[in-house]
């Protein structure tokens, strides 16, 4: 039987991000998926799209999970992305333990900021609430801006030195046993980017790098996180999962740049789903 992964993200009708990325990637990696949507948008929120519609689903979320619990549903893992309010964070902090199997894992991408600033609608109060959700996660995957806001650290883009990483790990460990994947921490300003990983259980840590392609593109974080979760749930180590996500992302970006309307149409990750399926089967030892 396939593992069932609960995806808790927003749904953007057009534009490749969040649920529309996570669902096909996890499915291609031979994982069943269930969706708890946090909000419904006509498009994602990149500057290229103006006047998008937004519907907060915070009132529907408890109704959905109540129905699931009546059905006796539980999940092998939970993958959390964009949440629209502190109320949603508080709800999930209380609700998720009731939905997770005894040996299940919670993967949290604390989406709220980038490039040193909060996204529209988020602030330090939101970051404080998100830190409480990090307390129950098994793996957190913030970018460097989000890590700085979550744990009151000075913001710095690019490679962090040993002392900075030790301070970050200690801050996370104050209230959490989560392993860490810090995205963007492999950026060296000289053609490389990547992520720092720390396996809380084994103590293994390091930086995984690959080619930096041009700029930042909408949806890359969701693609990275989905590949990471899919790899881990198929038995990869944190190093293996981080390496797979770091290695494949620049290939997807390069391939997508052949589309002159890429910023509007999104990254063409679909052309790599076959490769991810093969990788998942290799992890499982299938032929």
């Amino acid at each position: 039987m396939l593992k069932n992964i609960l995806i808790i993200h927003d749904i953007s009708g057009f534009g490749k991000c969040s649920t529309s990325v996570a669902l096909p990637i996890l499915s291609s990696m031979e994982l069943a998926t269930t969706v708890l949507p946090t909000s419904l948008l006509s498009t994602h929120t990149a500057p290229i799209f103006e006047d998008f519609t937004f519907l907060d689903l915070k009132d529907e979320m408890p109704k959905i999970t109540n129905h699931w619990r009546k059905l006796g549903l539980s999940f092998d893992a939970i993958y959390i992305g964009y949440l629209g309010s502190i109320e949603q964070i508080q709800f999930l902090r209380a609700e998720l333990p009731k939905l997770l199997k005894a040996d299940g894992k919670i993967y949290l991408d604390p989406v709220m900021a980038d490039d040193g600033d909060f996204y529209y609608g988020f602030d330090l109060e939101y970051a404080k609430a998100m830190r409480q959700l990090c307390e129950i996660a098994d793996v957190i995957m913030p970018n460097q801006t989000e890590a700085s806001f979550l744990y009151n650290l000075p913001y710095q883009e690019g490679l962090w030195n040993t002392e900075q990483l030790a301070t970050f790990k200690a801050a996370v460990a104050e209230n959490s046993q989560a392993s860490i994947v810090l995205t963007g921490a492999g950026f060296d300003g000289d053609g490389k980017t990547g992520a720092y990983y720390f396996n809380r259980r084994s103590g293994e840590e390091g930086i995984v790098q690959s080619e930096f392609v041009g700029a930042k593109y909408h949806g890359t974080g969701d693609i990275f996180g989905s590949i990471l979760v899919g790899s881990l749930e198929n038995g990869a180590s944190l190093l293996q999962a981080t390496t797979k996500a770091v290695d494949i992302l620049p290939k997807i970006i390069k391939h997508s740049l052949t589309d002159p309307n890429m910023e509007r149409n999104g990254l063409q990750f679909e052309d790599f789903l076959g490769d991810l399926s093969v990788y998942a089967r290799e992890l499982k030892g299938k032929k």
Side-chain angles (χ1 to χ4, degrees):
M1 179 180 292
L2 298 179
K3 287 185 175 181
N4 194 347
I5 314 301
L6 176 57
I7 299 168
I8 306 179
H9 287 250
D10 67 279
I11 296 176
S12 294
F14 181 82
K16 298 177 186 178
C17 67
S18 303
T19 299
S20 62
V21 166
L23 195 153
I25 287 177
L26 294 178
S27 295
S28 73
M29 299 182 78
E30 299 192 347
L31 297 164
T33 56
T34 301
V35 177
L36 178 61
T38 61
S39 56
L40 177 63
L41 299 87
S42 55
T43 67
H44 62 62
T45 60
I48 193 171
F49 297 122
E50 297 181 353
D51 302 321
F52 57 85
T53 65
F54 177 87
L55 178 64
D56 189 341
L57 297 178
K58 68 179 186 297
D59 293 332
E60 289 300 311
M61 292 171 67
K63 300 175 187 177
I64 293 170
T65 58
N66 284 340
H67 186 212
W68 287 348
R69 282 192 280 109
K70 288 178 182 178
L71 295 173
L73 298 183
S74 59
F75 301 95
D76 296 285
I78 298 174
Y79 172 29
I80 308 167
Y82 178 89
L83 304 175
S85 66
I86 291 175
E87 290 81 5
Q88 288 187 0
I89 293 174
Q90 293 171 336
F91 165 71
L92 292 175
R93 179 72 171 80
E95 187 73 8
L96 292 186
K98 304 173 188 176
L99 296 171
L100 191 66
K101 291 182 179 179
D103 59 348
K105 299 286 190 280
I106 296 176
Y107 303 98
L108 174 59
D109 181 358
V111 180
M112 60 179 170
D114 202 1
D115 295 323
D117 291 315
F118 282 107
Y119 296 141
Y120 176 81
F122 298 111
D123 56 22
L124 287 173
E125 285 301 309
Y126 185 88
K128 183 178 179 181
M130 182 60 76
R131 181 168 177 171
Q132 295 177 348
L133 195 57
C134 291
E135 294 175 5
I136 66 170
D138 293 280
V139 179
I140 60 171
M141 43 186 125
N143 62 37
Q144 292 174 293
T145 301
E146 290 158 348
S148 298
F149 285 138
L150 282 168
Y151 297 103
N152 300 314
L153 304 173
Y155 168 68
Q156 177 184 311
E157 184 175 299
L159 297 173
W160 286 9
N161 61 37
T162 302
E163 181 179 351
Q164 289 170 308
L165 290 171
T167 300
F168 175 42
K169 288 188 297 181
V172 174
E174 286 180 8
N175 300 103
S176 171
Q177 291 302 307
S179 294
I180 299 165
V181 176
L182 181 64
T183 61
F187 180 69
D188 63 3
D190 192 31
K192 296 288 186 181
T193 189
Y196 164 81
Y197 72 95
F198 172 61
N199 187 320
R200 181 74 61 182
R201 179 172 295 181
S202 69
E204 182 184 18
E205 63 182 319
I207 291 177
V208 178
Q209 293 179 301
S210 64
E211 182 183 3
F212 176 67
V213 182
K216 294 183 179 181
Y217 301 101
H218 205 87
T220 54
D222 297 320
I223 294 172
F224 181 97
S226 299
I227 295 170
L228 185 83
V229 171
S231 300
L232 290 170
E233 284 301 303
N234 276 303
S237 67
L238 191 62
L239 169 58
Q240 289 175 315
T242 303
T243 300
K244 187 63 177 179
V246 167
D247 283 350
I248 200 169
L249 201 52
K251 297 175 184 177
I252 293 173
I253 295 172
K254 274 187 172 181
H255 175 68
S256 303
L257 288 173
T258 60
D259 177 8
N261 295 314
M262 189 271 287
E263 287 193 33
R264 178 183 177 89
N265 295 332
L267 296 171
Q268 297 176 26
F269 69 91
E270 296 92 342
D271 291 329
F272 293 80
L273 294 180
D275 295 338
L276 291 173
S277 181
V278 170
Y279 177 64
R281 295 179 72 85
E282 289 173 351
L283 289 171
K284 293 178 179 180
K286 295 181 178 179
K287 295 182 179 179

